[in-house]
Amino acid sequence: MDEKEYVELRGTVEQIVFSNEENGYAVLRLLSQEGAEITATGTFPGIGLGEELTMVGFWVVHPSYGEQFSAERFERRLPTTVRGIADYLASGLIRGIGPRLGARIAEKFGEDTFEVMANEPERLTEIKGITARRAKEIGRQFVEQSSMRELMDFLSVHNLPIELTALLYKRFHDSAIEMMCDNPYLLCDPYYDVDFRLADGLAMELGLSLLSDDRTDAGIVYTLTFNLGNGHTFIPLDKLTAATIRLLSEDDVEFDEDRILAGILRLADKGILVREEIAGRDAVYLRDMHDAEAYLAHMLNDMSERNYEYNFDVDDLLHGLFDNSEFPYSEKQKQAIAAAARNGLVILTGGPGTGKTTTVSGILRVFEALSLNTLLAAPTGRAAKRLSDLTGMEAKTIHRLLEAGFAPGGRTVYARSVTNPLECDAVILDEVSMVDIRLMQALIEALPHGARLVLVGDADQLPPVGPGNFLRDLITSQRVPTIQLTEIFRQAQKSDIVMNAHAVNEGHMPTPSGADGDFFFMKRGDAASVIETVAQLCSQRLPAHYGFSPSQIQVLSPARRQGSGTAALNRRLQEALNPPSENRREKRFGDIIFREGDRVMQVRNNYDIVWEREGGDETGTGVFNGDVGELERIYPQQECLIVRFDDRLATYTFDMLNELELAYAVTVHKSQGSEFDAVVFALSDGLPRRLLTRNILYTGITRAKQLLVIVGSTETVSHMVANNQKGRRYSALKARLRGERAADAPEIALL
């Protein structure tokens, strides 16, 4: 991609083509100082007609609208001419002032209009039709707008997200700038979700002490928060201290352990952190992580000890089920079904081809015979759809089941909770390996008292993206009834995909199939040849020889950026499968071109995206991380596009495109919970070594239903098979379940 050439541009706002009040994104028509008409896009919260803007940004070429200026920073001045003031007042920023009244106010007070509105609003009563009460309200709104403008300017000057304006003003009103100047690190609060380094940059610009208690405390919290993304629920005191010292120390400023320890004590006294001896560690938690872990241990222990008694012989019921089943259950499967009938909490685990789905169907039949109202759930939309298809019952994502939504600041809240529990007698949760402890806490809280929970998953799959290692901790605690299915059924034995998945899991190299098989290995080394071969397979060879359409083929990679990562794969696959065409509209967003017909993925939970069921008979909101769809239509004039997710049509405004990625190729992590007819696994040289692990290879292989093709080097595959190093995580759930307070714990690297 060509390097951006940044320029400064000045102009007056003549038209607001599009404006999103939620985040401030706008498309403007401006008249430049040279008299040229300019289209500018960017974040311009509360922009009004007639405002004079000085913008810093770069020129881009829109496929439909030609040259546009993309503004990254701007400064603004209120208009000074009578016409400019009238246009500004008419733009709707102040409620109750329309074009006619705006013109009359500007004509009456001229260049002094804004001074009058700010300091002498009672003078507005000199204009016929404006009462004293209305004049006061106009003045109040103008002062509020002025304060927000000042706040926006402050954020812009200091390269902070302008989107913070509304959040900061809502909490601090006129004092927002003063509060930030006193303590820039308040921006690190999850309510604002500002990176520590941005807040630290503001502190340095303001000349604040780098040894302040506020900076120390913010650095500690940031280190803990950052490592939630690495899966750690806590950090040992010594490692937290060392990591925070590295974060906060500068060339001329050096922190010591005592200063960090003092900060931990302050934060613990405020209830922000918890320090506890657990699992052989002097552990430091964020308060919500500690509470989630302790709550789960307590509730899961209670549920695992719960047994159900019946006024009839349940064995007779089970034998009747087994005898009348069209599937011959194995002994392990019978054990699992019986355990689900008798226990409050059961884990069912096993690899591909071991009959987990058949067992779940058996459990459902027993629950139906017991007249239990059972709900099915999975972590992702694809996993839920797959569960629905396999069982014939509706399955929902956990977020939909719990009726998730957003609280101020982007915090997830759930309508279903302790005070408003789910209406059910049992929940069966699939793909549990993907679930982190916060989401599991939310689900357990929403279970009605006495409800049963069946957890289904493969413990050898990748751990969750979020904190904890829930499924593995439960299994290894030996506190929860666990049935592990190990027998590979005869039908599954015919699949080289299934057999090679188990071989890899046991540390053996996979064996390619013969001509009529379903597992193939195409040896390529460098990234360029891997990517080109993958493109040929998806666009030509697999459709021609196996009859797969491109939509049935999913490309996987361990990485995003390096080697044959998804970024490079998606560019080439888009070129091969959905090339530019005069019949397909495009929208560039950063370094991605979105084109009608593209396969795309939602990359974060968004509970507010509006969708409509095809046919218009149902509408709703919410699209979730990992949902894959097709970009159906781009509407340039409306600044939006439509994505089809199965039979749901979701509308995205252009400012929301950071929530979408091309999905011709996805990472193995993103593919969890999904299965595809055909999988092409790109494993070139040059991929990050930390991602070349056995469980990533195993997880990738198990995503394929009918055909798997590995394109890569033998050395890379061999390294992955040999590397059984699982990402160790600091978690004490296992210790809490077992009642261990000071057990020996292995050393884990802090990322």
PDB file of all heavy atoms in Angstrom, residues 468-489:
ATOM      1  N   GLY A 468      -8.876 -17.376  31.483  1.00  0.00           N
ATOM      2  CA  GLY A 468      -9.164 -18.667  32.064  1.00  0.00           C
ATOM      3  C   GLY A 468      -8.994 -19.804  31.072  1.00  0.00           C
ATOM      4  O   GLY A 468      -8.766 -19.606  29.872  1.00  0.00           O
ATOM      5  N   ASN A 469      -9.126 -21.016  31.595  1.00  0.00           N
ATOM      6  CA  ASN A 469      -9.089 -22.233  30.780  1.00  0.00           C
ATOM      7  C   ASN A 469     -10.147 -23.153  31.366  1.00  0.00           C
ATOM      8  O   ASN A 469      -9.857 -24.210  31.915  1.00  0.00           O
ATOM      9  CB  ASN A 469      -7.701 -22.862  30.836  1.00  0.00           C
ATOM     10  CG  ASN A 469      -7.432 -23.794  29.676  1.00  0.00           C
ATOM     11  OD1 ASN A 469      -8.317 -24.147  28.913  1.00  0.00           O
ATOM     12  ND2 ASN A 469      -6.182 -24.193  29.518  1.00  0.00           N
ATOM     13  N   PHE A 470     -11.399 -22.712  31.229  1.00  0.00           N
ATOM     14  CA  PHE A 470     -12.520 -23.242  31.984  1.00  0.00           C
ATOM     15  C   PHE A 470     -12.666 -24.750  31.856  1.00  0.00           C
ATOM     16  O   PHE A 470     -12.684 -25.470  32.851  1.00  0.00           O
ATOM     17  CB  PHE A 470     -13.800 -22.521  31.557  1.00  0.00           C
ATOM     18  CG  PHE A 470     -15.036 -23.035  32.231  1.00  0.00           C
ATOM     19  CD1 PHE A 470     -15.318 -22.683  33.539  1.00  0.00           C
ATOM     20  CD2 PHE A 470     -15.907 -23.892  31.574  1.00  0.00           C
ATOM     21  CE1 PHE A 470     -16.446 -23.175  34.180  1.00  0.00           C
ATOM     22  CE2 PHE A 470     -17.036 -24.373  32.202  1.00  0.00           C
ATOM     23  CZ  PHE A 470     -17.305 -24.016  33.506  1.00  0.00           C
ATOM     24  N   LEU A 471     -12.793 -25.270  30.636  1.00  0.00           N
ATOM     25  CA  LEU A 471     -13.064 -26.694  30.451  1.00  0.00           C
ATOM     26  C   LEU A 471     -11.928 -27.551  30.981  1.00  0.00           C
ATOM     27  O   LEU A 471     -12.151 -28.541  31.686  1.00  0.00           O
ATOM     28  CB  LEU A 471     -13.327 -26.989  28.978  1.00  0.00           C
ATOM     29  CG  LEU A 471     -13.612 -28.462  28.643  1.00  0.00           C
ATOM     30  CD1 LEU A 471     -14.838 -28.965  29.386  1.00  0.00           C
ATOM     31  CD2 LEU A 471     -13.793 -28.641  27.129  1.00  0.00           C
ATOM     32  N   ARG A 472     -10.698 -27.186  30.650  1.00  0.00           N
ATOM     33  CA  ARG A 472      -9.555 -27.985  31.102  1.00  0.00           C
ATOM     34  C   ARG A 472      -9.438 -27.956  32.623  1.00  0.00           C
ATOM     35  O   ARG A 472      -9.137 -28.968  33.256  1.00  0.00           O
ATOM     36  CB  ARG A 472      -8.266 -27.473  30.452  1.00  0.00           C
ATOM     37  CG  ARG A 472      -7.031 -28.292  30.802  1.00  0.00           C
ATOM     38  CD  ARG A 472      -5.850 -27.901  29.915  1.00  0.00           C
ATOM     39  NE  ARG A 472      -6.077 -28.332  28.552  1.00  0.00           N
ATOM     40  CZ  ARG A 472      -5.850 -29.572  28.113  1.00  0.00           C
ATOM     41  NH1 ARG A 472      -5.388 -30.512  28.939  1.00  0.00           N
ATOM     42  NH2 ARG A 472      -6.078 -29.877  26.852  1.00  0.00           N
ATOM     43  N   ASP A 473      -9.680 -26.782  33.234  1.00  0.00           N
ATOM     44  CA  ASP A 473      -9.620 -26.681  34.691  1.00  0.00           C
ATOM     45  C   ASP A 473     -10.664 -27.578  35.343  1.00  0.00           C
ATOM     46  O   ASP A 473     -10.393 -28.240  36.356  1.00  0.00           O
ATOM     47  CB  ASP A 473      -9.822 -25.232  35.139  1.00  0.00           C
ATOM     48  CG  ASP A 473      -8.568 -24.382  34.979  1.00  0.00           C
ATOM     49  OD1 ASP A 473      -7.499 -24.953  34.692  1.00  0.00           O
ATOM     50  OD2 ASP A 473      -8.651 -23.147  35.125  1.00  0.00           O
ATOM     51  N   LEU A 474     -11.870 -27.612  34.780  1.00  0.00           N
ATOM     52  CA  LEU A 474     -12.920 -28.455  35.337  1.00  0.00           C
ATOM     53  C   LEU A 474     -12.557 -29.931  35.247  1.00  0.00           C
ATOM     54  O   LEU A 474     -12.710 -30.682  36.208  1.00  0.00           O
ATOM     55  CB  LEU A 474     -14.249 -28.214  34.606  1.00  0.00           C
ATOM     56  CG  LEU A 474     -15.305 -27.423  35.393  1.00  0.00           C
ATOM     57  CD1 LEU A 474     -14.802 -26.041  35.642  1.00  0.00           C
ATOM     58  CD2 LEU A 474     -16.631 -27.417  34.630  1.00  0.00           C
ATOM     59  N   ILE A 475     -12.070 -30.344  34.084  1.00  0.00           N
ATOM     60  CA  ILE A 475     -11.748 -31.753  33.886  1.00  0.00           C
ATOM     61  C   ILE A 475     -10.606 -32.184  34.799  1.00  0.00           C
ATOM     62  O   ILE A 475     -10.680 -33.218  35.469  1.00  0.00           O
ATOM     63  CB  ILE A 475     -11.420 -32.030  32.403  1.00  0.00           C
ATOM     64  CG1 ILE A 475     -12.672 -31.848  31.543  1.00  0.00           C
ATOM     65  CG2 ILE A 475     -10.856 -33.448  32.229  1.00  0.00           C
ATOM     66  CD1 ILE A 475     -12.411 -31.918  30.053  1.00  0.00           C
ATOM     67  N   THR A 476      -9.538 -31.392  34.836  1.00  0.00           N
ATOM     68  CA  THR A 476      -8.365 -31.774  35.626  1.00  0.00           C
ATOM     69  C   THR A 476      -8.593 -31.644  37.127  1.00  0.00           C
ATOM     70  O   THR A 476      -7.855 -32.222  37.920  1.00  0.00           O
ATOM     71  CB  THR A 476      -7.131 -30.945  35.220  1.00  0.00           C
ATOM     72  OG1 THR A 476      -7.424 -29.544  35.340  1.00  0.00           O
ATOM     73  CG2 THR A 476      -6.726 -31.257  33.775  1.00  0.00           C
ATOM     74  N   SER A 477      -9.624 -30.892  37.533  1.00  0.00           N
ATOM     75  CA  SER A 477      -9.933 -30.790  38.964  1.00  0.00           C
ATOM     76  C   SER A 477     -10.471 -32.103  39.508  1.00  0.00           C
ATOM     77  O   SER A 477     -10.395 -32.351  40.718  1.00  0.00           O
ATOM     78  CB  SER A 477     -10.955 -29.684  39.219  1.00  0.00           C
ATOM     79  OG  SER A 477     -12.265 -30.084  38.819  1.00  0.00           O
ATOM     80  N   GLN A 478     -11.047 -32.927  38.612  1.00  0.00           N
ATOM     81  CA  GLN A 478     -11.660 -34.203  38.989  1.00  0.00           C
ATOM     82  C   GLN A 478     -12.791 -34.014  40.003  1.00  0.00           C
ATOM     83  O   GLN A 478     -13.104 -34.919  40.765  1.00  0.00           O
ATOM     84  CB  GLN A 478     -10.607 -35.177  39.526  1.00  0.00           C
ATOM     85  CG  GLN A 478      -9.512 -35.520  38.514  1.00  0.00           C
ATOM     86  CD  GLN A 478      -8.496 -36.492  39.055  1.00  0.00           C
ATOM     87  OE1 GLN A 478      -8.184 -36.521  40.233  1.00  0.00           O
ATOM     88  NE2 GLN A 478      -7.953 -37.306  38.191  1.00  0.00           N
ATOM     89  N   ARG A 479     -13.382 -32.827  39.997  1.00  0.00           N
ATOM     90  CA  ARG A 479     -14.489 -32.548  40.905  1.00  0.00           C
ATOM     91  C   ARG A 479     -15.845 -32.670  40.215  1.00  0.00           C
ATOM     92  O   ARG A 479     -16.872 -32.676  40.875  1.00  0.00           O
ATOM     93  CB  ARG A 479     -14.343 -31.129  41.472  1.00  0.00           C
ATOM     94  CG  ARG A 479     -13.200 -30.976  42.472  1.00  0.00           C
ATOM     95  CD  ARG A 479     -13.559 -31.621  43.785  1.00  0.00           C
ATOM     96  NE  ARG A 479     -14.750 -31.013  44.362  1.00  0.00           N
ATOM     97  CZ  ARG A 479     -15.536 -31.592  45.256  1.00  0.00           C
ATOM     98  NH1 ARG A 479     -15.251 -32.808  45.660  1.00  0.00           N
ATOM     99  NH2 ARG A 479     -16.607 -30.964  45.735  1.00  0.00           N
ATOM    100  N   VAL A 480     -15.828 -32.750  38.868  1.00  0.00           N
ATOM    101  CA  VAL A 480     -17.066 -32.754  38.104  1.00  0.00           C
ATOM    102  C   VAL A 480     -17.190 -34.082  37.369  1.00  0.00           C
ATOM    103  O   VAL A 480     -16.223 -34.530  36.743  1.00  0.00           O
ATOM    104  CB  VAL A 480     -17.084 -31.587  37.094  1.00  0.00           C
ATOM    105  CG1 VAL A 480     -18.375 -31.613  36.274  1.00  0.00           C
ATOM    106  CG2 VAL A 480     -16.947 -30.251  37.825  1.00  0.00           C
ATOM    107  N   PRO A 481     -18.351 -34.751  37.438  1.00  0.00           N
ATOM    108  CA  PRO A 481     -18.526 -35.986  36.674  1.00  0.00           C
ATOM    109  C   PRO A 481     -18.187 -35.780  35.199  1.00  0.00           C
ATOM    110  O   PRO A 481     -18.808 -34.943  34.526  1.00  0.00           O
ATOM    111  CB  PRO A 481     -20.016 -36.306  36.866  1.00  0.00           C
ATOM    112  CG  PRO A 481     -20.391 -35.631  38.145  1.00  0.00           C
ATOM    113  CD  PRO A 481     -19.561 -34.389  38.213  1.00  0.00           C
ATOM    114  N   THR A 482     -17.187 -36.511  34.710  1.00  0.00           N
ATOM    115  CA  THR A 482     -16.682 -36.323  33.351  1.00  0.00           C
ATOM    116  C   THR A 482     -16.664 -37.656  32.622  1.00  0.00           C
ATOM    117  O   THR A 482     -16.113 -38.635  33.121  1.00  0.00           O
ATOM    118  CB  THR A 482     -15.264 -35.724  33.363  1.00  0.00           C
ATOM    119  OG1 THR A 482     -15.297 -34.454  34.036  1.00  0.00           O
ATOM    120  CG2 THR A 482     -14.741 -35.531  31.949  1.00  0.00           C
ATOM    121  N   ILE A 483     -17.267 -37.674  31.463  1.00  0.00           N
ATOM    122  CA  ILE A 483     -17.224 -38.852  30.609  1.00  0.00           C
ATOM    123  C   ILE A 483     -16.433 -38.491  29.359  1.00  0.00           C
ATOM    124  O   ILE A 483     -16.840 -37.612  28.591  1.00  0.00           O
ATOM    125  CB  ILE A 483     -18.637 -39.342  30.238  1.00  0.00           C
ATOM    126  CG1 ILE A 483     -19.375 -39.830  31.496  1.00  0.00           C
ATOM    127  CG2 ILE A 483     -18.550 -40.478  29.231  1.00  0.00           C
ATOM    128  CD1 ILE A 483     -20.072 -38.732  32.246  1.00  0.00           C
ATOM    129  N   GLN A 484     -15.328 -39.163  29.152  1.00  0.00           N
ATOM    130  CA  GLN A 484     -14.486 -38.919  27.978  1.00  0.00           C
ATOM    131  C   GLN A 484     -14.710 -40.036  26.972  1.00  0.00           C
ATOM    132  O   GLN A 484     -14.432 -41.197  27.241  1.00  0.00           O
ATOM    133  CB  GLN A 484     -13.009 -38.837  28.363  1.00  0.00           C
ATOM    134  CG  GLN A 484     -12.101 -38.528  27.167  1.00  0.00           C
ATOM    135  CD  GLN A 484     -10.694 -38.193  27.571  1.00  0.00           C
ATOM    136  OE1 GLN A 484     -10.311 -38.371  28.721  1.00  0.00           O
ATOM    137  NE2 GLN A 484      -9.909 -37.677  26.642  1.00  0.00           N
ATOM    138  N   LEU A 485     -15.203 -39.671  25.807  1.00  0.00           N
ATOM    139  CA  LEU A 485     -15.422 -40.633  24.735  1.00  0.00           C
ATOM    140  C   LEU A 485     -14.120 -40.820  23.969  1.00  0.00           C
ATOM    141  O   LEU A 485     -13.529 -39.849  23.484  1.00  0.00           O
ATOM    142  CB  LEU A 485     -16.528 -40.139  23.795  1.00  0.00           C
ATOM    143  CG  LEU A 485     -17.883 -39.817  24.448  1.00  0.00           C
ATOM    144  CD1 LEU A 485     -18.870 -39.301  23.392  1.00  0.00           C
ATOM    145  CD2 LEU A 485     -18.457 -41.040  25.145  1.00  0.00           C
ATOM    146  N   THR A 486     -13.663 -42.058  23.863  1.00  0.00           N
ATOM    147  CA  THR A 486     -12.388 -42.343  23.200  1.00  0.00           C
ATOM    148  C   THR A 486     -12.526 -43.253  21.993  1.00  0.00           C
ATOM    149  O   THR A 486     -11.680 -43.261  21.109  1.00  0.00           O
ATOM    150  CB  THR A 486     -11.406 -42.978  24.201  1.00  0.00           C
ATOM    151  OG1 THR A 486     -12.013 -44.138  24.777  1.00  0.00           O
ATOM    152  CG2 THR A 486     -11.057 -41.995  25.321  1.00  0.00           C
ATOM    153  N   GLU A 487     -13.607 -44.025  21.950  1.00  0.00           N
ATOM    154  CA  GLU A 487     -13.794 -44.966  20.847  1.00  0.00           C
ATOM    155  C   GLU A 487     -14.180 -44.230  19.573  1.00  0.00           C
ATOM    156  O   GLU A 487     -15.144 -43.465  19.554  1.00  0.00           O
ATOM    157  CB  GLU A 487     -14.878 -45.981  21.200  1.00  0.00           C
ATOM    158  CG  GLU A 487     -15.148 -47.005  20.100  1.00  0.00           C
ATOM    159  CD  GLU A 487     -16.305 -47.933  20.435  1.00  0.00           C
ATOM    160  OE1 GLU A 487     -16.712 -47.969  21.620  1.00  0.00           O
ATOM    161  OE2 GLU A 487     -16.815 -48.600  19.511  1.00  0.00           O
ATOM    162  N   ILE A 488     -13.427 -44.463  18.497  1.00  0.00           N
ATOM    163  CA  ILE A 488     -13.753 -43.866  17.210  1.00  0.00           C
ATOM    164  C   ILE A 488     -14.695 -44.824  16.474  1.00  0.00           C
ATOM    165  O   ILE A 488     -14.358 -45.977  16.223  1.00  0.00           O
ATOM    166  CB  ILE A 488     -12.485 -43.623  16.368  1.00  0.00           C
ATOM    167  CG1 ILE A 488     -11.488 -42.756  17.149  1.00  0.00           C
ATOM    168  CG2 ILE A 488     -12.850 -42.959  15.050  1.00  0.00           C
ATOM    169  CD1 ILE A 488     -10.145 -42.621  16.473  1.00  0.00           C
ATOM    170  N   PHE A 489     -15.878 -44.344  16.144  1.00  0.00           N
ATOM    171  CA  PHE A 489     -16.878 -45.208  15.531  1.00  0.00           C
ATOM    172  C   PHE A 489     -16.489 -45.616  14.116  1.00  0.00           C
ATOM    173  O   PHE A 489     -15.741 -44.923  13.427  1.00  0.00           O
ATOM    174  CB  PHE A 489     -18.244 -44.521  15.548  1.00  0.00           C
ATOM    175  CG  PHE A 489     -18.897 -44.568  16.903  1.00  0.00           C
ATOM    176  CD1 PHE A 489     -18.533 -43.671  17.892  1.00  0.00           C
ATOM    177  CD2 PHE A 489     -19.829 -45.536  17.198  1.00  0.00           C
ATOM    178  CE1 PHE A 489     -19.120 -43.723  19.145  1.00  0.00           C
ATOM    179  CE2 PHE A 489     -20.422 -45.600  18.453  1.00  0.00           C
ATOM    180  CZ  PHE A 489     -20.060 -44.702  19.428  1.00  0.00           C
TER     181      PHE A 489
END
